[in-house]
Amino acid sequence: MDNVVQPTKIPHSRIEDALAIVLGTLMVSFGVMMLKQAGALTGSTAGIAFLISYLTHLSFGSAFFLINLPFYWLAVRRMGWEFTIKTFCAVGLVSLFTHLHPMFIHFSALNPFYATLFGNVVMGIGFIVLFRHKASLGGINILALWLQDHIGLRAGKLQMAVDTCVVLASLFVVSLPILLASIAGAVILNLIIAMNHRPGRYMV
């Protein structure tokens, strides 16, 4: 029988985790900036933050940071302190970078449909970087996982319900073409995550 050499797991170092969180949040926040300038939105916690920013004078970054605060307690209970600290840092950096990007980049002409689709692509890649280093952007996803553990409610069902509510609420905020582009962009984002973030696909 041939000897099969099992690959050795090489965990990420703290420096690698830190650099990945910075890179991932830069990408997510850049995608957010494109959606914001296009007047579009996305699903989940970010979608709620978009709605708040469109309906009030609160910026997306501030709304996103505040919405996530109640979920950290659940993150500690379900995911542990390391995941929670990484997620807190990631949320804080996305909130910060969404304020900083417009100081350096401004699009004088931007096709809203293209910006919405490409913004979601960039965000999807950023999410994968964060997930690979055991971090997230918290919010509804943490609540969904916690409810799945405690009452048996499937996480995907709650996520779908929240996204549906965001879409319905956005009917009063954005135009129909932008809404359709936002839905298409959210589908693309979730497909990117589904294709690239599966349990057991990677060694670390």
Side-chain angles (χ1 to χ4, degrees):
M1 181 181 294
D2 295 334
N3 292 326
V4 178
V5 178
Q6 296 292 332
T8 304
K9 293 183 178 181
I10 304 175
H12 297 117
S13 67
R14 294 291 177 85
I15 293 178
E16 289 172 334
D17 283 341
L19 291 175
I21 290 173
V22 172
L23 176 62
T25 53
L26 275 170
M27 298 184 74
V28 170
S29 58
F30 186 80
V32 165
M33 183 191 69
M34 295 185 72
L35 266 63
K36 179 73 173 176
Q37 189 152 343
L41 45 76
T42 188
S44 196
T45 312
I48 298 173
F50 269 120
L51 287 175
I52 293 174
S53 69
Y54 290 151
L55 294 170
T56 69
H57 296 295
L58 201 64
S59 68
F60 170 87
S62 299
F64 186 66
F65 184 81
L66 292 173
I67 291 171
N68 272 287
L69 290 178
F71 296 105
Y72 292 121
W73 177 76
L74 295 178
V76 171
R77 294 194 60 181
R78 190 186 190 283
M79 308 290 192
W81 278 103
E82 181 179 357
F83 172 86
T84 304
I85 291 172
K86 288 180 180 179
T87 296
F88 179 83
C89 292
V91 169
L93 286 173
V94 167
S95 300
L96 174 64
F97 290 150
T98 54
H99 285 293
L100 294 181
H101 281 311
M103 298 180 183
F104 301 97
I105 302 173
H106 180 75
F107 299 101
S108 58
L110 188 66
N111 182 283
F113 195 81
Y114 174 84
T116 302
L117 297 183
F118 188 71
N120 275 282
V121 169
V122 175
M123 289 173 63
I125 296 172
F127 274 117
I128 294 301
V129 173
L130 294 175
F131 292 161
R132 291 287 288 112
H133 288 263
K134 296 180 174 59
S136 80
L137 291 178
I140 300 301
N141 182 250
I142 293 175
L143 176 62
L145 293 172
W146 187 84
L147 289 175
Q148 181 172 272
D149 287 346
H150 285 75
I151 66 174
L153 178 65
R154 294 290 297 273
K157 290 184 178 180
L158 178 63
Q159 193 77 46
M160 180 69 71
V162 171
D163 288 349
T164 301
C165 291
V166 170
V167 170
L168 292 176
S170 65
L171 287 171
F172 304 97
V173 180
V174 301
S175 65
L176 182 59
I178 292 296
L179 175 59
L180 294 176
S182 299
I183 294 173
V187 170
I188 291 173
L189 186 152
N190 283 285
L191 283 175
I192 291 172
I193 293 174
M195 289 188 298
N196 293 279
H197 186 65
R198 296 182 183 178
R201 167 158 285 181
Y202 304 103
M203 291 298 297
V204 292

